[in-house]
Amino acid sequence: MTQVKTAITPTRQENFPEWYQSVVREGQLAENSDVRGCMIILPQGLSLWENIKTYLNLHFKRTNHKNAYFPLLIPKSYLEEEAAHVDGFAKECAVVTHTKLGLNSDGELVPQGKLEEPYIIRPTSETIIGHSFAKWIQSYRDLPVLINQWANVMRWEMRTRIFLRTSEFLWQEGHTAHATREEAVKETKLILDIYSKMASDILALAPFIGSKTEDEKFPGAEITYCLEAMMQDGKALQAGTSHYLGQNFAKAQKIKFVDEQGEHQLAHTTSWGVTTRLIGALIMTHADDNGLIIPPRVAEYHAMIIPIFRNDEEKAAVMKVANELKDSLFEKMFFNNPIAAEIDESALRGGEKFWRAVKKGYPFIIELGPKDIEKNQICLIKRNQENLKDKAFMKIDTFIEMASDELTTMQQDIYQKAVNFRETHTFEMTSKNKFVEFFKKDKKGFISCFAHENLPDEIKSLLKELKVTARCIPLASEEERGTCLFTQKENAKKMIFAKAY
Amino acid sequence: MTQVKTAITPTRQENFPEWYQSVVREGQLAENSDVRGCMIILPQGLSLWENIKTYLNLHFKRTNHKNAYFPLLIPKSYLEEEAAHVDGFAKECAVVTHTKLGLNSDGELVPQGKLEEPYIIRPTSETIIGHSFAKWIQSYRDLPVLINQWANVMRWEMRTRIFLRTSEFLWQEGHTAHATREEAVKETKLILDIYSKMASDILALAPFIGSKTEDEKFPGAEITYCLEAMMQDGKALQAGTSHYLGQNFAKAQKIKFVDEQGEHQLAHTTSWGVTTRLIGALIMTHADDNGLIIPPRVAEYHAMIIPIFRNDEEKAAVMKVANELKDSLFEKMFFNNPIAAEIDESALRGGEKFWRAVKKGYPFIIELGPKDIEKNQICLIKRNQENLKDKAFMKIDTFIEMASDELTTMQQDIYQKAVNFRETHTFEMTSKNKFVEFFKKDKKGFISCFAHENLPDEIKSLLKELKVTARCIPLASEEERGTCLFTQKENAKKMIFAKAY
């Protein structure tokens, strides 16, 4: 067999983590910076986040949520009010201690103007938004309060990986307060539903939707709903969470109201968020050994047009048609947006342009040369097709007419492929030995089995050793009960286990 | 004369700065926070910024700019490379010195994990983006690079005023690099043009558009273009700047390229930005003694519908029509957006609802009671009308048909009022004594006169004493020359002088 050359080295098979870094680099999504653990999000990467933001804003606003913006800095005292935050975020936060830099006697710039009380850069805005809620909410008439914030946050991570775990990242954080448990749980599920639709409809991810076990849920939460997506190496990536916090945070933050009967009550609160990590999920779900594959609904540009010519005369003729094609596509709609095409006018050769477009994941790659324009045709390569060397020729008018439908089909195909991958790599299991063997041998995928939430310490140790966690109790099989794989006791719930990012 | 009660106290006349704070508070735009000099931007305030962002993103993208995102933190060493930054920003920056908070022996949370080199929170991303440009740009083929960033920045201000001067604020910062001076200056003017259109078309501001004098321009810039808007107290507010930086920053940041002849060259760079300060400009230009007036093109909601009823039966009937009206308006477009209405379903009384809507600046306030629905009519109050007690009754269908045109007219009227105010409060002057008297007596407005850029020290002292600065050399009268008001020398340029925010 001859070796097939791929645009990305190493391949997924050879070294998945390095393949991931190469895809990010060649796809021009992001770069590392000189700031510890912080990335530079390049235009191609940021456009994905902007499209996620547009989709979520539409659905958050449709369901009466309001965007607001709270300070970047959190007073140290706020953090101290919340025991869970002291335990968690205090260990990895950026601390602001001074108000200026000034020259010392050696002529060096050093911190000066020490603050009486340090601030930390928000690792989450939970506490500062909680303080506002306590001030805003007096009566049941003030409820519900439904706030969302788009912001940057910081948590100093020891080991970082671009998009997946960075010290600074972008996210949205929703915080809501309600009069009753029922309403707050309904809100938590409503958001889970918006996240699920976002994941499947635009990102073409096929996550398990479920709730976290007691051990795995967010500290302080009564219920944590989550999306657990399967990456192509079989590991799980948590792609969004929605928490019902009960009255726990309201108690710590004094979020109280007078109810219809005139009684003082604590509010029921929720919080929920997704981050730029979703871009990592997108890459590790869809990209292949030739680079990015961007589902059309989240792509900024749907097509890259590559003009081919040997001289100025040919160039003029080809560019004219290329621009007309771009304009005609822009008059056609794909969902809420015009079909956007770019023309690669760079000085690269045709083949280089083609592989650059492949690595950047454009849904359509269109080659257009002098012979094509004579025949009123284009040469179309779909980024998700089996073999990128298969070129399809078609009349320009036909292509323009069918472009939107083709993108819809491509979106569905990419999604279906993710569903199939998840289904063929999720294994029902009833034997503990096989469970252990599966993960010891680094087999690819998730295990679905019955298990109890409170497992004995020896089982917890075993899972820790295997680096495996209970990812979720899927909502789809929430009611099923069976014999626990680990303890053989009855009445255990159906759970998904996996190694995770 | 009887005293007319206003919804906002004090009035503009009584105390302009306090009136401003009241308008912000009653309009629910923003609040102060516990973080020194930082504000909480409430949904109503943030929606204005989001609309500005949508408009600018459209025009930035149309002109081939790309959004990217750079780290929040800047290494101290980056700041040191730029002498102008050491002089300016080092004096008021938030310094991050530690990586966590931990308990000391007294059980207090204290900063721990000292960083070898401190970071500062970006006061601007000039240096960090410059570092990327130096890396990205090798050849003339890589130019131009046209980057924009939407971000939060921090500069610790001693005296803060909500929106106008806050320690943390939101902004967009554009940074571009070009092969030639000509292209870079063209870019600087292109952006000035986008800002001018944004100011007049959506914010209904009527600023002077001009260039800064030698003394007033951005340190390191060769040309600083600016928008100088007149507030209702006659003071100037700088509403946006666009700088041509020559090769100065490129030299400090080593942004070099090989040109078509194979020669090494320094790039020509630009930078430009607008901030959440624009919301302050909007308020101080349009609001009156009854609160906010929001120009329709920047309003999130164009209409507030106030249902009036005395019992459940009336409520059901009125709410049905209110919802139908809201839906019918949503099917009509005002520029790119559906006409958005809210219905005030709160427990407040009708009069309270009305004044709340007035203070929040809804373009249309619509009262709807049982008698109105019998007659298929609404009672319409336009927020910008002379007397808010003048109620106009009109058929619902007529209103729906004319709503978009009415909003267009209102937008124009609000803009024209700002133009008129600027024109009637800008005084041509040829006498130095009258100039001094004008500002000493705190007369309201700008002075337009001929002056030289390099004024003698005694004149500079005089201006400082008067707290007056040269705001700009208006582009509209750029070519005019005359006798300097201060020195009597010929060949002086036409300038605008004012007190400023």
Side-chain angles (χ1 to χ4, degrees):
Chain A
M1 267 180 45
T2 55
Q3 206 189 327
V4 178
K5 251 178 96 182
T6 57
I8 297 293
T9 48
T11 62
R12 289 164 290 183
Q13 186 66 33
E14 285 162 358
N15 186 329
F16 196 82
E18 280 188 25
W19 163 84
Y20 174 77
Q21 303 289 352
S22 296
V23 172
V24 170
R25 188 180 54 248
E26 298 292 324
Q28 297 182 17
L29 295 178
E31 293 178 353
N32 287 312
S33 77
D34 286 349
V35 182
R36 192 171 127 171
C38 294
M39 61 183 162
I40 294 166
I41 307 180
L42 300 173
Q44 171 95 339
L46 195 63
S47 74
L48 299 170
W49 184 241
E50 286 178 343
N51 283 335
I52 291 169
K53 193 167 167 175
T54 301
Y55 181 95
L56 288 179
N57 260 334
L58 184 73
H59 290 280
F60 291 160
K61 290 187 177 181
R62 176 179 65 79
T63 49
N64 300 316
H65 299 82
K66 301 271 187 184
N67 287 338
Y69 186 78
F70 292 80
L72 171 71
L73 300 182
I74 312 278
K76 190 194 74 170
S77 60
Y78 281 24
L79 200 76
E80 286 169 336
E81 289 164 12
E82 188 56 68
H85 282 198
V86 173
D87 285 350
F89 298 121
K91 289 175 193 151
E92 47 172 28
C93 61
V95 189
V96 176
T97 55
H98 292 75
T99 62
K100 61 182 171 187
L101 291 171
L103 293 170
N104 69 5
S105 52
D106 297 335
E108 278 178 308
L109 271 186
V110 293
Q112 294 181 344
K114 195 176 175 194
L115 287 161
E116 272 184 40
E117 187 188 330
Y119 291 106
I120 64 160
I121 296 178
R122 58 184 166 218
T124 157
S125 304
E126 198 92 50
T127 58
I128 202 160
I129 294 181
H131 268 255
S132 285
F133 278 17
K135 225 171 71 182
W136 296 344
I137 298 166
Q138 310 295 330
S139 146
Y140 70 94
R141 287 194 190 90
D142 301 323
L143 294 171
V145 176
L146 310 172
I147 291 294
N148 178 58
Q149 173 172 259
W150 293 93
N152 53 342
V153 287
M154 266 207 88
R155 300 168 187 183
W156 252 326
E157 301 282 354
M158 288 310 293
R159 288 185 196 170
T160 57
R161 283 182 72 188
I162 216 155
F163 289 123
L164 299 175
R165 192 176 293 277
T166 48
S167 292
E168 183 188 8
F169 56 89
L170 305 182
W171 79 347
Q172 62 69 217
E173 50 180 320
H175 299 274
T176 71
H178 308 260
T180 65
R181 177 191 165 92
E182 194 189 353
E183 276 182 43
V185 171
K186 196 174 157 195
E187 163 77 13
T188 315
K189 283 186 170 164
L190 169 74
I191 297 299
L192 181 72
D193 194 45
I194 291 174
Y195 287 165
S196 305
K197 286 209 173 70
M198 179 266 299
S200 59
D201 290 0
I202 73 163
L203 298 180
L205 303 179
F208 279 97
I209 314 291
S211 59
K212 287 285 185 190
T213 61
E214 278 302 312
D215 288 344
E216 295 291 330
K217 70 188 189 189
F218 183 60
E222 288 202 11
I223 307 172
T224 289
Y225 292 113
C226 60
L227 280 67
E228 294 289 330
M230 187 188 289
M231 303 296 100
Q232 289 181 75
D233 61 352
K235 287 166 80 175
L237 187 140
Q238 182 175 294
T241 48
S242 180
H243 312 290
Y244 166 58
L245 303 169
Q247 294 174 306
N248 302 328
F249 278 77
K251 197 173 176 186
Q253 297 173 327
K254 303 187 182 63
I255 306 172
K256 287 179 275 190
F257 68 98
V258 176
D259 69 14
E260 286 194 61
Q261 285 73 43
E263 302 287 324
H264 289 265
Q265 302 280 0
L266 285 170
H268 293 256
T269 68
T270 84
S271 75
W272 29 275
V274 298
T275 77
T276 34
R277 216 176 186 219
L278 282 174
I279 299 170
L282 186 83
I283 299 163
M284 291 196 293
T285 301
H286 305 305
D288 65 15
D289 294 336
N290 290 312
L292 280 176
I293 293 180
I294 301 182
R297 285 198 63 184
V298 79
E300 184 176 15
Y301 292 98
H302 305 97
M304 173 57 91
I305 302 170
I306 299 174
I308 294 164
F309 49 80
R310 285 161 303 182
N311 53 48
D312 282 353
E313 196 187 336
E314 283 183 5
K315 182 178 177 180
V318 169
M319 285 304 294
K320 183 171 173 288
V321 178
N323 277 301
E324 286 166 2
L325 174 58
K326 180 180 158 180
D327 291 345
S328 301
L329 287 172
F330 202 78
E331 282 169 25
K332 298 285 172 183
M333 299 295 283
F334 172 59
F335 283 84
N336 293 323
N337 296 305
I339 299 178
E342 277 191 303
I343 302 173
D344 188 343
E345 296 191 59
S346 72
L348 294 179
R349 282 176 298 131
E352 291 171 327
K353 288 183 185 183
F354 175 77
W355 286 106
R356 180 161 75 174
V358 166
K359 288 186 283 186
K360 291 177 85 170
Y362 288 84
F364 291 147
I365 303 172
I366 296 163
E367 291 182 339
L368 195 67
K371 283 189 186 154
D372 298 315
I373 62 171
E374 265 177 38
K375 296 182 190 168
N376 282 321
Q377 71 181 20
I378 57 156
C379 168
L380 176 69
I381 299 95
K382 293 182 222 163
R383 180 59 185 88
N384 71 328
Q385 71 190 30
E386 200 60 44
N387 184 347
L388 290 171
K389 287 174 181 156
D390 290 342
K391 301 184 173 191
F393 292 88
M394 74 181 71
K395 292 289 170 201
I396 293 179
D397 288 349
T398 312
F399 172 68
I400 292 166
E401 280 313 309
M402 64 186 275
S404 182
D405 288 347
E406 280 289 330
L407 290 171
T408 303
T409 305
M410 190 186 298
Q411 178 79 28
Q412 285 164 351
D413 289 350
I414 293 173
Y415 174 63
Q416 196 52 52
K417 194 173 175 188
V419 171
N420 294 347
F421 186 84
R422 185 196 70 194
E423 287 180 354
T424 53
H425 291 81
T426 301
F427 304 95
E428 294 288 333
M429 211 158 277
T430 50
S431 143
K432 180 179 150 194
N433 289 345
K434 286 195 175 159
F435 180 102
V436 172
E437 191 193 323
F438 182 89
F439 288 116
K440 273 210 170 144
K441 290 202 172 160
D442 258 333
K443 289 201 176 161
K444 203 185 274 185
F446 292 1
I447 282 184
S448 166
C449 63
F450 288 105
H452 277 289
E453 292 200 48
N454 276 321
L455 290 168
D457 285 347
E458 54 170 295
I459 303 296
K460 284 185 185 171
S461 301
L462 172 70
L463 291 173
K464 203 167 177 182
E465 194 191 314
L466 293 170
K467 293 179 184 158
V468 166
T469 44
R471 301 311 305 162
C472 70
I473 302 163
L475 294 186
S477 49
E478 200 176 15
E479 304 300 325
E480 289 181 38
R481 293 293 180 274
T483 310
C484 175
L485 179 94
F486 302 105
T487 65
Q488 309 306 319
K489 288 184 191 161
E490 289 308 310
N491 208 29
K493 292 176 184 170
K494 199 62 160 298
M495 286 184 199
I496 297 292
F497 286 86
K499 296 185 182 180
Y501 279 93
Chain B
M1 267 178 49
T2 55
Q3 206 190 326
V4 179
K5 251 178 95 183
T6 58
I8 298 292
T9 48
T11 61
R12 287 164 292 183
Q13 187 65 33
E14 285 163 359
N15 187 329
F16 196 82
E18 279 188 26
W19 162 83
Y20 174 76
Q21 303 288 352
S22 295
V23 172
V24 170
R25 188 179 56 248
E26 298 293 323
Q28 295 182 20
L29 296 178
E31 293 178 353
N32 288 311
S33 76
D34 286 347
V35 183
R36 193 172 126 169
C38 295
M39 62 183 161
I40 295 166
I41 308 180
L42 298 174
Q44 171 95 340
L46 195 62
S47 74
L48 299 170
W49 184 242
E50 286 177 343
N51 282 336
I52 292 169
K53 194 167 166 174
T54 301
Y55 181 95
L56 288 179
N57 260 334
L58 184 73
H59 290 280
F60 292 160
K61 289 187 179 181
R62 175 179 65 79
T63 49
N64 301 317
H65 298 82
K66 301 271 188 184
N67 286 338
Y69 186 79
F70 292 81
L72 171 71
L73 300 182
I74 312 278
K76 190 195 74 170
S77 60
Y78 280 25
L79 200 77
E80 286 168 337
E81 290 165 11
E82 188 55 67
H85 281 197
V86 174
D87 285 350
F89 298 121
K91 289 174 193 151
E92 47 172 28
C93 61
V95 189
V96 176
T97 54
H98 292 75
T99 62
K100 61 183 170 184
L101 291 171
L103 294 171
N104 70 5
S105 53
D106 297 336
E108 278 178 306
L109 271 186
V110 293
Q112 294 181 345
K114 196 176 174 192
L115 287 162
E116 272 184 39
E117 187 188 331
Y119 292 105
I120 64 160
I121 296 178
R122 58 183 165 220
T124 158
S125 304
E126 198 92 50
T127 57
I128 203 163
I129 293 181
H131 268 256
S132 285
F133 278 16
K135 225 171 70 181
W136 297 343
I137 298 166
Q138 309 295 331
S139 146
Y140 70 95
R141 288 196 190 88
D142 301 323
L143 294 171
V145 176
L146 310 172
I147 290 293
N148 177 59
Q149 173 173 258
W150 293 93
N152 53 342
V153 287
M154 266 205 89
R155 300 168 187 183
W156 253 328
E157 301 282 354
M158 288 309 293
R159 288 184 195 171
T160 56
R161 283 181 72 187
I162 217 155
F163 289 122
L164 299 176
R165 193 176 292 277
T166 49
S167 292
E168 183 188 9
F169 56 89
L170 304 182
W171 79 348
Q172 61 70 217
E173 49 180 320
H175 300 274
T176 70
H178 308 261
T180 65
R181 177 192 164 92
E182 193 190 353
E183 276 181 44
V185 171
K186 196 173 158 196
E187 163 77 12
T188 316
K189 283 187 170 165
L190 169 73
I191 296 299
L192 181 72
D193 194 45
I194 291 174
Y195 287 166
S196 305
K197 286 210 173 68
M198 180 265 299
S200 59
D201 290 0
I202 72 162
L203 299 180
L205 303 179
F208 280 97
I209 314 292
S211 58
K212 287 287 186 190
T213 60
E214 277 301 315
D215 288 344
E216 295 291 330
K217 70 188 188 188
F218 184 61
E222 289 202 10
I223 308 172
T224 289
Y225 292 112
C226 60
L227 280 68
E228 294 288 330
M230 189 189 289
M231 303 297 100
Q232 289 181 73
D233 61 351
K235 286 167 80 175
L237 188 141
Q238 182 175 293
T241 49
S242 179
H243 313 290
Y244 166 57
L245 303 169
Q247 294 175 306
N248 302 328
F249 279 78
K251 196 172 176 186
Q253 297 172 330
K254 303 186 180 63
I255 307 173
K256 289 180 272 191
F257 68 97
V258 176
D259 69 14
E260 287 194 62
Q261 284 73 43
E263 303 287 323
H264 288 265
Q265 301 280 1
L266 285 171
H268 293 256
T269 68
T270 83
S271 75
W272 28 275
V274 298
T275 78
T276 34
R277 219 177 182 219
L278 282 174
I279 299 170
L282 186 83
I283 299 163
M284 291 197 292
T285 302
H286 305 305
D288 65 15
D289 295 336
N290 291 312
L292 281 177
I293 293 180
I294 301 182
R297 285 198 64 183
V298 78
E300 183 176 17
Y301 292 99
H302 306 97
M304 173 57 91
I305 302 170
I306 299 173
I308 295 163
F309 48 81
R310 285 161 305 183
N311 54 50
D312 283 352
E313 196 187 335
E314 284 183 5
K315 181 178 177 179
V318 169
M319 286 303 295
K320 183 170 172 288
V321 178
N323 277 300
E324 285 166 3
L325 173 58
K326 180 179 157 180
D327 291 344
S328 301
L329 287 172
F330 202 79
E331 281 168 24
K332 299 285 174 183
M333 299 295 282
F334 172 59
F335 284 82
N336 293 323
N337 295 304
I339 299 178
E342 276 191 303
I343 302 173
D344 188 343
E345 296 191 60
S346 72
L348 295 179
R349 281 176 299 128
E352 291 171 327
K353 288 183 184 182
F354 175 77
W355 286 105
R356 180 161 73 175
V358 167
K359 287 186 283 186
K360 291 177 84 170
Y362 289 84
F364 292 148
I365 303 172
I366 297 163
E367 291 181 339
L368 194 66
K371 282 188 186 155
D372 298 315
I373 62 172
E374 265 176 38
K375 296 182 192 168
N376 282 321
Q377 71 181 20
I378 57 157
C379 169
L380 176 70
I381 300 95
K382 292 182 224 161
R383 180 59 186 87
N384 71 328
Q385 71 190 31
E386 201 59 43
N387 184 347
L388 290 171
K389 285 172 184 158
D390 291 342
K391 299 184 175 191
F393 293 89
M394 73 181 73
K395 293 289 170 202
I396 292 179
D397 288 349
T398 312
F399 172 67
I400 292 166
E401 281 313 309
M402 64 187 274
S404 183
D405 289 346
E406 280 289 330
L407 290 171
T408 301
T409 304
M410 190 186 298
Q411 179 80 28
Q412 285 164 351
D413 289 349
I414 292 172
Y415 174 63
Q416 196 52 51
K417 195 173 173 187
V419 171
N420 294 347
F421 186 84
R422 184 196 71 193
E423 288 180 353
T424 54
H425 290 82
T426 300
F427 304 95
E428 294 288 333
M429 210 160 278
T430 50
S431 143
K432 181 179 149 194
N433 289 344
K434 285 194 175 162
F435 180 102
V436 172
E437 191 194 325
F438 181 90
F439 288 115
K440 274 210 170 145
K441 289 200 172 161
D442 257 333
K443 289 199 177 163
K444 202 185 276 185
F446 291 2
I447 283 184
S448 167
C449 63
F450 289 104
H452 277 291
E453 292 200 48
N454 276 321
L455 290 168
D457 286 347
E458 53 170 295
I459 302 297
K460 284 185 184 171
S461 301
L462 172 70
L463 292 173
K464 202 167 179 183
E465 194 193 312
L466 292 170
K467 293 179 184 157
V468 167
T469 43
R471 301 312 303 162
C472 70
I473 302 164
L475 294 186
S477 49
E478 203 177 12
E479 305 301 326
E480 288 181 39
R481 293 292 180 276
T483 311
C484 175
L485 178 94
F486 302 105
T487 64
Q488 308 306 321
K489 289 184 189 159
E490 290 307 309
N491 208 28
K493 291 175 185 170
K494 199 62 159 299
M495 286 184 199
I496 297 293
F497 287 86
K499 296 185 183 180
Y501 279 93

